[in-house]
Amino acid sequence: MNLTQRDRIQGFTLVEMLIAAALGSLILAAIITSAVSLNRTFAAVNAFFSAHLQQIRIIDYLSRDVKRSTIVHSTDKNTLGCWTPKYIVEAGDTDAASGVGKRRTPSIRSNSSGFVVDYYTTTQANGPRNADGTPVLDTWGQPIKTSASTVVYSISGNSILRTEDGVVTAIASSTDQLVPDIIDLGLLNAGSLQAEVSFRPIFTRLNAASERAGTTIYSTQFLRNLRRGN
Amino acid sequence: MKPNEHAGESGSTLVCAMCTILILSVIGGNVLLNCTTRYNVTSKQIKGWKDALCAAEAGGDIAYAETRKALKNPTTVFTGPGWSGDQANGPWTYTMPDPIGTIDPATSKGSLTASVTVDRLPASAIVTTSPTPSASPTPGFYRIRSVGTARVSGLRRGGMDDAMTAAGRTNFVAGSKARGYGDSLLRKIDFQFDHFIATYGDGDGNNPHASPVPVDASGNPLAQVSRRIELISVPVLASTGDAIRTSGSFEGPGSSGVIDSYDSKNGAYNKDIAPSSSPYPAFFSDSRDANVAVGGSTFIDQTGNIYGNVTTNGATLKPQLDKYIFGTIDNTVTQTIAPQPRVTPPPSRSYEVDPTPAIIDPPSTVMVDGVAQPPNSWANAPWYHYTYFRNVIVNPVIVGGTARETYINIVVDGANNAVSIKEFLHINRGANVRIYFTGDVDMKVALFKNLNQDGAPLNNIDGTTSTNVSASNHVQFYGVSPPAGVTQRVDLDANGNPGIAAVWYVPGADFEAKGNINMFGAVVCKSFYANGNCFFHFDKQIGLGAQATDYRIASYVEDIR
């Protein structure tokens, strides 16, 4: 039996162990760093996509409401109001006895632009509101009344709110600072609304304008119910 | 014995490698899963939601195109492929014969469909005042309800930040405001059943029931999105509310002239009302609706007063400077005026036996679709045909020795660049006349007489009371649009201090009124010129009495439930 051979192959020298441990630590550190980095990237991208989806959702909401509006107004660039026809009979309406949830038969009258379609003729004081929530007053000091449903888009903290006849729905919420911005109420010429929704991703640290512009969605929507000229 | 000299070296390398791969795979898998879900929403579901509206609007456009046929070829309305229903009275339904859009490989058909229901709005829905519409208004007012449906391919599940039902709810509930949140509140995708039919039935709450979505060849449900819109198609009338409308320039009124308005239901025009509320304050509000709509950028103010709103397309009018305009000013409004086509009797009708009498005494009955009818409407009016219309007297039908409201169509086939209407024209009280003319008008207004009276119509032929209170509405001139390069002319010259009550729809004409004419009615033309002390009084009662020239969509509503 020869024991010398076994003695020769067992164990490592201290230097070997130190080198091996050092290399192992480096590899492990690289793996952990990569994993953490990947995870953070994933979280950032996930948040980015999520915010992007909310951008699209806000634009889609705006498009749907603006398209069917008779009037669109904006008191500042972050607030938008739409007057949409009251198509469905709702509880509390003066004609609620005809059946809540039914579609109204419109009435037609003529004015200087031809025939005008009215779905609901009773007015209520649900016109535009100031930034502090108080109603905008008309020439006679009274809150503006409409026969339409009013839909208001506004910002509250990190949320974008859609308020339809007083019912509030948060349609988007993010710490990424989603900001709808009404570029132009092009009603004088084309009866259109141009809007943009931008956000500042949370992984953006420098707050550079170019980075912000890179996360902006633009939309142009025509008011189908706005009738001017003939 | 020889021990395995490598036993101690098999170590943890493989385990470490596997762990590393596992960690990276988990991270990568998560990324892919999230990306897939996001992609599913952004690419497939949003696309389907938008496509559904395109399909609904395509259905609406198809129906709208049918309603336009009501003017040009009424017998073919709602008769094309896909249309069904009571041909005479409606409602009419349309089902797209073949789906359109992106071809689905599974079915080899398109992914978009539309179904449309059209009905005619009842007379009770028409609340405009003049004249009161009949039980079935002609031309009709149509309601178009279109449902567009798009297939949603990809994963059959909602987004990551969605909820199909609101908190505390277990199923769909009535009222969209309480339903779900996130994307599901906006884009309602039907994965198994049509949520709208299940909740709202036909849309009015009738017969709600579970309506499964279609299935593929393997029996798997095909997710879809449906969007519902309602359009109202209304006729465009030759005169709809503007005192003067041009596609080009405007010049006037003269320094002593006035453009104002009145309502003939209150009787004859009173010149004292527009400048001040005294002495008839109750009628004051009717006096300042003489709107002038100019389609061009040329607006020359001759310092006569305009009591109404003024719109131009590119002029530079300003309220503080143009003190002669007692209304709002908007310089960014375009005008599109439909040309007037040549008119002939409808296929089942013909001109009267003597089509060119010097005195028109309309018959008491005319044959309409084989049935003898009194000339009590434009549809039942007799037809006369001239090449040069002058020195003609038009009488109404006499019943029991009393004149009655009677309707008469006159076609004047003159030559372009030549006068076709001139000199003596005498429209007796009770006669409603539409004159379709080719060529020019050169009229000494003193020789024109419209003896109908504002606010005092005669009885109809059947003895009922007529609601056509406007004298202007009784005489309507329609100038057939000339060919390109030719301009029609309508020249009205005063001769004394004459009045002329008429509606003018002459979209291809240069309209000139010179001298101290008192004009009542409305004018639609290519360009307008009035000088001196020419007065123009727009009658607000001119409404449904004018001829329809086209249809347009007056209302667009989406049922967002």
Side-chain angles (χ1 to χ4, degrees), chain A residues 103, chain B residues 59-60 63 78 83-84 90-95 114-120 142-147 229-231:
Chain A
R103 298 167 293 186
Chain B
F78 306 121
W83 285 100
S84 61
W92 304 271
T93 59
Y94 171 78
T95 302
S115 61
V116 186
T117 301
V118 181
D119 61 351
R120 199 193 301 261
Y142 296 96
R143 173 169 55 193
I144 300 168
R145 286 172 169 166
S146 178
V147 181
I229 61 173
E230 178 173 309
L231 312 175

Side-chain angles (χ1 to χ4, degrees), chain B residues 532-554:
Chain B
N533 50 354
C534 179
F535 294 84
F536 191 98
H537 314 298
F538 169 57
D539 183 358
K540 293 175 67 175
Q541 284 293 310
I542 296 172
L544 280 177
Q547 175 187 264
T549 59
D550 201 349
Y551 271 84
R552 69 176 176 87
I553 299 298

